[in-house]
RNA sequence: GCGGAAGUGGCGGAAUUGGCAGACGCGCUAGCCUCAGGAGCUAGUCCGGGCAACCGGGUGGGGGUUCGAGUCCCCCCUUCCGCACCA
């Protein structure tokens, strides 16, 4: 009989009390530990190349080992795991690896603060977070684990860097770079968010430094074009990438410069414009304060310091405000003039704070009549405004122009080009410029080359040597890796820590052998993460980053999930690196990630979880209270994976209750549902109506879960279908008399009727297999208790049988003039005529037809009948 | 300003192609079972009217297409996200 066991003690301290008096108990903690151990011991998720099976590469963005993962972090791993486990059951050879993005500033900052070496800090964190993932039951091939801070990994960063150097894709340049004073290092453009550091938010300033760059712009056009083919990426990410790359077609035009004597034309100012059709209206030239001519003009002017001071002031203006238009347009006249090559008229050359030094040529032609910014500037400084594009239909009043007209129109006052439409004007004028050598058509990108030098310790040493005799010399492959030296003082000062280690810096030149110096900057950690997905295919290769044959089998990643915050960082860098490897002949695809899913964040009290806000939910706490399976199920059920979710304890409790409900139903049946005497279902003609209905529900659930799962990844609705099946099983138990008030009469239950056992067995087994990607521990445990020795993967994904799922009869709705007035049950295979007849005879429908003529009857088989009457 | 996504019960969210709006869960209510219930089982739960069968309204607002619109088209409002002086 029922044993009544108050179980409050188990929950002591958790703030929750549950007693489950009727055994059996669902005790996730013991089950989960058991299965996790078994998976580890048997290497259950390790895989190898197997060309006899289709592969599936399932990857979640690897983790920065920051300390402890919270549920916001682990949601992503759960999503990937559910997909990986499904694909395994569907017979795919699934590569599902994990690793650590282990270089980076926090380790170094922690070292400064806690007097702990970054490596110790990092490896400790990795150990802890790996444990967290294992406690969640994520099915990783841990045998392939990588950590980017280990020489076995960063060796290949260095190797690739020297390949890129050889191909001219890595180069050194002195330029203005983004500087974060808090992180004490340079940032790439992608890493500046709203004018601040992507990591700490500190406002970024400009510094001129000699830096290493990767020539991502060489692939700008291809990266843009190929985005069209990424049909399984979120549109949002593609849009962000397109905007970031920022392609614009236009022309560069040279304005001959009038010399200081006012006569001699000795040089040119080149401008970039997308609107060469407006060039007759260019009444001035504006240089960016950073433009090299500014300094020259100053030198040549009567009062050099005055000019320089003004330009300096612009340069020092808040970059964020200057970039976002938050600063009022200001400028000054350099006193010089240039010749508009189309009008042959002299135009003044100004310097203004709204012109960007690092876009185009750093100089623009001012066309106030047809550009909003130029209009504002010309109005302020009383520069001439000339209309050269006339609005069609509603002509502009040239004498009194209230605002600029930036749209297309018909050219006027444009010499031989007058009368042309804007587009035609652009074509003819560009051709003219090219023919006369005053300009050329160009495509301008907003994307800049990727500055990767970092003045920090905890990163990949850049494998370059500076020799007074030979210049810049890459470290030969045979001398790689250049190991990161261990002994370092962490001062937190703003220079490269490696520069203070003479044993590191001083080196013989690989070419001539004379004393030389090593590069002391390290690489941006985004280099590490730009190709790690290839390393997973061959993680221990000691002679190459990876074996192309292995990447040929596993690549590209079939399903990649992670946060949107990497839309223009990691995801664009990786697309770049994939092409570099392709051009090195090492990979045979262009795009590294066939499908991308950007998972939504988990909020707590309306905020993103973060340690500093103190609102993190620790997965281990939840596992202790409810088990990893309940946590996984809840996170998958609460919303679609792409959506942001608000964490609720009550929701997690609900998922726990559901699993306990599964357990209470299935566990007592595990004896009676196995062994001899269960009739096969195929020849079962003697099923009761309830038994047939349960079979139908079972197969309908198989259909729904399978369809929701992949590629749709509607995981929340897949779970709800499983809940419906369980509800139906309980109802069936009552009706079949095997349960009373949801409880079985005996722990060692025996169900006499073979048909009942057969349909229950089918339902229970389907349920366990379908739920196993979500709650693998519970599924494996009950599956084993049902007498299966080989586990759910061996069993395979359940197969939907349409003949079983098909109902004999269906209820269809009957509408009269668009309103549902009644329902009628008809045979599933009834003819349209029969359905129509039945619908017109429905008692609730008849009154609505009284006194009216039926004009039309629309029959949608299986759905409804629409009657039009008036 | 430009671009993208989205507005559905008290809440999270369902609804392949236009076809019974609100599945499933949370919360709430009632009953059962209980020494007890904060456990379990069952039922109810969009709004208004009615004892009820039913009737009317209803997917941000307004128009439209259609036998039929949460879904398609046009206009508007709101929210979130991204970009933002890129010439």
């Amino acid at each position: 009989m029922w044993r009544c066991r108050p179980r409050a003690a188990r929950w002591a301290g958790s703030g929750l009390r549950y007693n489950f008096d009727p055994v059996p108990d669902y005790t996730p903690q013991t089950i989960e530990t058991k299965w996790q151990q078994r998976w580890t011991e048997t290497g259950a998720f390790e895989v190898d190349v197997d060309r006899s099976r289709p592969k599936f590469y399932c990857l979640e963005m690897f983790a920065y080992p920051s300390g402890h993962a919270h549920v916001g972090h682990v949601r992503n791993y759960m999503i990937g795991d559910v997909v990986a486990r499904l694909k395994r059951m569907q017979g795919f050879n699934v590569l599902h690896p994990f690793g650590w993005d282990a270089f980076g500033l926090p380790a170094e900052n922690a070292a400064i603060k806690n007097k702990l070496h970054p490596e110790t800090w990092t490896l400790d964190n990795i150990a802890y977070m790996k444990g967290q993932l294992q406690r969640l039951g994520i099915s990783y091939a841990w045998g392939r684990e990588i950590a980017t801070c280990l020489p076995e990994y960063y060796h290949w960063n260095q190797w690739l860097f020297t390949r890129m150097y050889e191909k001219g894709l890595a180069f050194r340049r002195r330029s203005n770079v983004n500087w974060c004073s808090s992180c004490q290092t340079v940032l790439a453009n992608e890493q500046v968010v709203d004018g601040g550091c992507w990591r700490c938010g500190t406002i970024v300033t400009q510094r001129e430094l000699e830096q290493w760059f990767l020539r991502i712009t060489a692939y700008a056009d291809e990266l843009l074009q190929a985005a069209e083919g990424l049909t399984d990426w979120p549109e949002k990410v593609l849009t962000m990438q397109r905007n970031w790359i920022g392609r614009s077609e236009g022309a560069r035009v040279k304005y001959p410069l009038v010399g200081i004597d006012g006569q001699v034309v000795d040089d040119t100012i080149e401008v970039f414009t997308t609107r060469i059709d407006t060039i007759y209206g260019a009444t001035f030239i504006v240089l960016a304060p950073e433009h090299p001519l500014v300094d020259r003009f100053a030198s040549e002017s009567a009062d050099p310091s005055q000019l320089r001071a003004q330009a300096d002031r612009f340069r020092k203006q808040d970059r964020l405000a200057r970039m976002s238009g938050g600063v009022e347009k200001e400028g000054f006249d350099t006193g010089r003039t240039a010749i508009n090559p189309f009008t042959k008229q002299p135009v003044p050359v100004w310097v203004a704070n709204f012109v960007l030094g690092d876009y185009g040529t750093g100089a623009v032609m001012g066309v106030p009549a047809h550009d909003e910014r130029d209009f504002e500037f010309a109005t302020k400084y009383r520069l001439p405004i000339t209309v050269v594009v006339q609005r069609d239909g509603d002509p502009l009043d040239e004498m009194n122009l209230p605002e600029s007209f930036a749209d297309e129109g018909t050219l006027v006052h444009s010499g031989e080009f007058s009368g042309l439409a804007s587009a035609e004007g652009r074509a003819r004028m560009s051709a003219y410029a090219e023919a006369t050598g005053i300009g050329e058509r160009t495509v301008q990108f907003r994307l800049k080359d990727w500055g990767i030098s970092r003045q920090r310790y905890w990163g990949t040493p850049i494998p370059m040597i500076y020799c007074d005799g030979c210049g810049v010399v890459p470290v030969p492959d045979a001398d790689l890796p250049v190991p990161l030296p261990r002994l370092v003082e962490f001062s937190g000062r703003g220079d490269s820590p490696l520069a203070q280690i003479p044993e590191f810096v001083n080196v013989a030149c690989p070419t001539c052998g004379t004393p030389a110096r090593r590069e002391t900057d390290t690489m941006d950690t985004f280099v590490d993460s730009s190709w790690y997905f290839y390393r997973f295919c061959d993680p221990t290769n000691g002679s190459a980053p990876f074996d192309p044959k292995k990447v040929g089998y596993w690549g590209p990643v079939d399903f990649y999930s992670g946060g949107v915050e990497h839309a223009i960082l990691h995801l664009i860098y990786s697309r770049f690196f994939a092409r570099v490897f392709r051009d090195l002949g090492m990979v045979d695809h262009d795009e590294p990630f066939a499908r991308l899913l950007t998972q939504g964040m988990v909020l707590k009290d309306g905020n993103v979880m973060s340690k500093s806000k103190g609102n993190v939910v620790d997965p281990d706490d939840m596992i202790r209270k409810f088990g990893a399976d309940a946590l996984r199920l809840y996170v998958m059920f609460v919303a679609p994976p792409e959506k942001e979710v608000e964490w609720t304890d009550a929701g997690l409790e609900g998922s726990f209750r559901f699993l306990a409900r599964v357990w209470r139903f299935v566990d007592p049946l595990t004896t009676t549902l196995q062994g001899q005497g269960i009739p096969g279902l195929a020849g079962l003609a003697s099923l009761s109506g309830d038994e047939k209905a349960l079979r139908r529900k079972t197969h309908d659930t198989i259909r729904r879960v399978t369809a929701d799962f992949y590629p749709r990844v509607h995981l929340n609705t897949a779970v709800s279908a499983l809940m419906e099946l369980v509800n139906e099983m309980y109802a069936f138990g009552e009706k079949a008399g095997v349960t009373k008030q949801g409880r079985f009469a005996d722990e060692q239950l025996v169900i006499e009727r073979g048909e009942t056992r057969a349909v229950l067995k089918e339902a229970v087994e389907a349920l366990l297999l379908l739920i196993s990607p979500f709650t693998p521990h519970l599924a494996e445990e009950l599956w084993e208790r049902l007498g299966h020795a080989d586990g759910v993967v061996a069993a395979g994904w359940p197969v939907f049988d349409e003949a079983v799922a098909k109902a004999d009869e269906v209820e269809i709705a009957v509408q009269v003039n668009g309103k549902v007035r009644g329902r009628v049950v008809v045979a599933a295979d009834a003819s349209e005529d029969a359905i129509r007849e039945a619908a017109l005879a429905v008692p609730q429908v008849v009154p609505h037809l009284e006194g009216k003529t039926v004009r039309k009857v629309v029959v949608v088989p299986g759905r409804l009948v629409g009657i039009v009457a008036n």
Side-chain angles (χ1 to χ4, degrees):
Chain A
M1 278 287 90
W2 307 126
R3 281 177 277 154
C4 295
R5 297 186 299 176
R7 306 199 61 81
R10 178 144 51 92
W11 305 101
S14 72
L16 291 159
R17 287 186 297 145
Y18 282 90
N19 357 338
F20 317 111
D21 47 349
V23 284
D25 286 347
Y26 169 51
T27 55
Q29 293 77 8
T30 53
I31 297 165
E32 290 174 3
T33 309
K34 166 186 164 182
W35 286 97
Q36 286 162 15
Q37 276 172 4
R38 194 174 295 185
W39 293 331
T40 303
E41 283 159 15
T42 61
F45 310 116
E46 304 300 334
V47 283
D48 270 308
V49 169
D50 174 0
R51 292 181 192 279
S52 71
R53 284 201 292 159
K55 67 93 184 182
F56 191 85
Y57 189 174
C58 180
L59 186 66
E60 299 98 64
M61 289 182 187
F62 70 167
Y64 181 74
S66 56
H68 293 202
H70 58 63
V71 294
H73 297 121
V74 301
R75 183 185 190 191
N76 188 33
Y77 313 134
M78 294 176 184
I79 293 166
D81 192 49
V82 166
V83 170
R85 286 180 181 271
L86 166 80
K87 285 290 171 181
R88 247 179 237 124
M89 291 180 75
Q90 289 183 329
F92 288 85
N93 192 25
V94 175
L95 176 60
H96 189 219
F98 200 70
W100 309 96
D101 189 14
F103 271 138
L105 269 175
E108 212 169 325
N109 293 337
I112 295 163
K113 207 166 136 192
N114 309 326
K115 305 267 180 241
L116 208 64
H117 194 276
E119 185 177 51
T120 313
W121 184 87
T122 303
L123 296 181
D124 285 355
N125 287 346
I126 287 175
Y128 185 83
M129 288 172 70
K130 182 175 177 181
Q132 286 189 300
L133 296 174
Q134 287 173 325
R135 288 191 287 282
L136 284 163
I138 310 288
S139 63
Y140 287 130
W142 284 111
R144 293 172 181 263
E145 181 180 8
I146 57 181
T148 58
C149 65
L150 301 176
E152 296 78 53
Y153 187 85
Y154 68 70
H155 180 164
W156 305 109
N157 281 346
Q158 296 172 339
W159 179 90
L160 183 65
F161 185 88
T162 54
R163 295 293 86 72
M164 292 174 80
Y165 179 74
E166 288 160 6
K167 300 190 75 161
L169 290 171
F171 64 96
R172 195 165 159 76
R173 182 175 71 195
R174 187 165 188 86
S175 70
N176 268 315
V177 290
N178 309 299
W179 178 263
C180 173
S181 59
S182 166
C183 298
Q184 291 284 307
T185 191
V186 161
L187 299 170
N189 293 315
E190 291 80 2
Q191 293 155 21
V192 179
V193 179
D194 292 338
C197 171
W198 70 292
R199 196 185 289 105
C200 67
T202 305
I203 294 297
V204 165
T205 55
Q206 295 297 295
R207 274 201 179 186
E208 197 179 294
L209 286 174
E210 183 101 3
Q211 297 281 295
W212 284 99
F213 288 85
L214 299 183
R215 205 180 297 281
I216 191 172
T217 54
Y219 293 91
D221 226 349
E222 194 194 332
L223 289 169
L224 187 73
Q225 301 282 322
E228 303 305 315
L230 293 173
T231 50
D232 291 327
W233 279 42
E235 196 51 46
K236 173 185 177 150
V237 172
L238 294 176
T239 304
M240 284 168 72
Q241 293 209 351
R242 286 190 194 104
N243 291 342
W244 186 257
I245 295 168
R247 183 181 198 273
S248 29
E249 289 181 13
R252 288 177 181 238
V253 180
K254 290 182 195 133
Y255 279 63
L257 188 58
V258 178
I260 192 72
D261 55 7
Q263 293 294 323
V264 182
V265 173
D266 62 351
D267 204 349
T268 60
I269 299 176
E270 193 173 30
V271 301
F272 173 72
T273 178
T274 55
R275 290 296 302 272
I276 196 173
D277 54 310
T278 65
I279 198 165
Y280 278 81
T283 52
F284 55 99
I285 294 281
V286 202
L287 305 178
E290 295 85 1
H291 197 284
L293 278 177
V294 174
D295 198 57
R296 191 180 127 193
F297 287 173
S299 314
E300 294 172 3
S301 75
D303 186 0
S305 61
Q306 195 253 346
L307 262 173
R308 288 208 179 95
Q310 294 192 77
D312 268 356
R313 193 168 65 78
F314 291 163
R315 276 197 289 262
K316 288 195 180 107
Q317 276 175 343
D318 188 313
R319 181 180 161 84
L320 170 59
R322 198 181 137 193
M323 291 277 293
S324 62
V327 164
E328 198 191 330
K329 287 177 186 42
E330 274 190 279
F332 60 87
D333 190 347
T334 63
R336 302 288 289 262
T337 54
I339 307 294
N340 182 325
F342 278 73
T343 64
K344 313 285 196 245
Q345 296 302 306
V347 293
V349 178
W350 286 60
V351 173
N353 60 351
F354 70 92
V355 179
L356 305 174
D358 56 359
Y359 181 79
T361 61
V364 298
M365 58 186 207
V367 187
H370 306 292
D371 182 280
E372 195 188 327
R373 297 153 298 183
D374 297 344
F375 184 86
E376 186 186 334
F377 192 74
T379 308
K380 175 168 180 175
Y381 292 104
R382 298 174 189 281
L383 291 158
I385 300 172
T386 310
V387 170
V388 293
V389 179
Q390 190 47 271
R391 181 159 61 194
D392 299 326
D394 176 21
L396 304 165
D397 177 359
E398 298 179 39
M399 293 298 100
N400 181 22
L401 200 61
E403 58 184 3
S404 62
F405 171 68
D407 295 345
E408 311 258 308
T410 303
L411 303 196
V412 293
H413 308 314
S414 295
E416 59 189 284
F417 304 99
S418 294
L420 297 175
S422 291
E424 179 68 12
R426 279 195 292 278
R428 298 260 201 105
M429 291 156 105
S430 309
Y432 171 84
E434 283 179 348
T436 54
I438 57 176
E440 58 182 359
R441 271 177 268 238
T442 54
V443 176
Q444 184 68 42
F445 291 94
R446 190 177 167 283
L447 182 73
K448 309 271 188 335
D449 283 321
W450 174 16
I452 59 147
S453 296
R454 297 290 179 275
Q455 292 70 42
R456 299 302 300 235
Y457 165 72
W458 194 232
T460 304
I462 294 174
M464 289 288 159
I465 292 170
Y466 303 102
C467 170
D468 289 337
C470 311
V472 180
V473 183
V475 175
D477 286 358
D479 295 343
L480 294 179
V482 176
L484 190 60
R486 168 82 194 174
L487 294 170
V488 175
E489 188 145 342
F490 297 100
S491 64
R493 287 205 309 270
D495 43 6
S496 299
L498 291 178
Q500 298 167 43
I501 310 172
E503 309 88 82
F504 177 82
V505 176
N506 297 318
V507 64
C509 169
T511 308
C512 69
T514 62
R517 289 160 290 106
R518 282 193 196 279
E519 166 69 63
T520 57
D521 284 351
T522 53
M523 292 184 202
D524 182 1
T525 57
F526 278 100
V527 173
D528 312 346
S529 53
S530 294
W531 67 281
Y532 76 103
F533 38 90
Y534 293 137
R535 184 68 180 175
F536 276 136
C537 300
D538 193 11
T540 57
N541 195 322
S543 56
F546 51 82
D547 177 351
K549 287 203 287 291
K550 290 184 179 174
V551 169
Y553 173 76
W554 291 114
V557 174
D558 295 281
F559 179 78
Y560 194 39
S561 71
V564 243
E565 64 273 18
H566 288 111
I568 50 165
L569 289 158
H570 163 61
L571 289 169
I572 213 162
Y573 295 146
S574 296
R575 295 183 61 217
F576 166 40
F577 269 42
R579 287 169 169 78
V580 173
F581 278 117
R582 179 198 63 194
D583 293 347
L584 287 169
M586 294 176 67
V587 307
D588 57 7
H589 53 256
D590 298 333
E591 291 292 343
F593 312 122
R595 167 149 190 206
L596 177 70
L597 183 145
T598 52
Q599 108 275 7
M601 289 186 296
V602 180
L603 309 181
K604 180 79 196 295
D605 311 320
N607 289 307
V608 180
M609 281 186 196
S610 76
K611 226 187 279 177
S612 55
K613 288 205 183 78
N615 64 345
V616 293
V617 176
D618 181 353
D620 285 309
D621 287 346
M622 299 302 124
I623 290 170
R624 271 191 293 279
K625 288 178 192 164
F626 303 103
D629 281 338
L631 177 59
R632 293 168 59 116
L633 189 78
Y634 165 61
V635 172
M636 296 303 106
F637 175 63
V638 67
E642 297 87 346
K643 262 198 92 155
E644 218 166 59
V645 295
E646 173 71 27
W647 177 268
T648 63
D649 287 341
L652 174 56
E653 288 176 48
S655 290
F656 175 81
R657 278 203 294 273
F658 170 71
L659 293 182
R661 188 169 151 87
V662 171
W663 185 271
R664 276 195 312 275
F665 193 87
V666 176
D667 191 42
L669 290 172
T670 50
T671 308
T672 195
L673 291 191
Q674 59 181 295
Q676 312 302 310
I678 297 188
L681 286 161
L684 225 53
S686 52
L687 294 184
S688 71
D690 289 339
E691 286 159 354
K692 275 188 198 157
L694 181 59
R695 283 207 77 195
R696 214 157 40 230
K697 187 68 179 179
T698 299
H699 279 269
D700 195 49
T701 304
I702 295 170
R703 180 187 62 78
R704 285 172 59 189
V705 174
T706 307
D708 281 348
F709 222 126
Y710 205 86
R712 293 180 77 189
V713 201
H714 286 199
L715 304 179
N716 55 328
T717 52
V719 174
S720 74
L722 293 169
M723 289 173 166
E724 284 186 44
L725 175 59
V726 171
N727 290 343
E728 192 93 352
M729 282 164 47
Y730 268 82
F732 178 82
E734 269 340 82
K735 282 186 277 193
V738 298
T739 57
K740 200 178 170 201
Q741 294 224 336
R743 289 167 191 174
F744 291 93
D746 194 300
E747 274 182 76
Q748 296 303 313
L749 182 75
V750 176
I751 298 172
E752 296 296 341
R753 185 176 154 82
E755 290 86 345
T756 302
R757 271 181 290 150
V759 295
L760 271 175
K761 185 182 168 85
E762 184 184 40
V764 163
E765 295 197 342
L767 170 69
L768 293 179
L769 295 172
L770 295 173
I771 207 172
S772 68
F774 298 101
T775 62
H777 314 85
L778 170 129
E780 291 282 11
E781 179 64 26
L782 289 173
W783 188 251
E784 187 179 68
R785 290 185 186 208
L786 276 167
H788 300 290
D790 287 341
V792 296
V793 173
W797 193 248
V799 177
F800 166 60
D801 185 338
E802 191 172 2
V804 176
K806 207 169 148 195
D808 302 338
E809 296 181 318
V810 289
E811 188 189 71
I812 59 176
V814 183
Q815 287 184 345
V816 178
N817 293 334
K819 287 197 165 83
V820 178
R821 295 300 183 184
R823 291 160 220 290
V824 61
V825 175
V826 298
D829 56 359
S831 70
E832 281 198 23
D833 286 344
I835 295 170
R836 178 181 297 122
E837 208 164 302
L840 289 167
V842 171
Q844 293 91 336
V845 169
V846 174
H848 292 282
L849 298 176
E850 225 142 88
K852 292 174 180 168
T853 311
V854 174
R855 301 288 174 192
K856 190 175 168 187
V857 179
V858 183
V859 178
V860 185
R863 294 267 186 192
L864 60 57
V865 176
I867 300 169
V868 189
N870 58 16

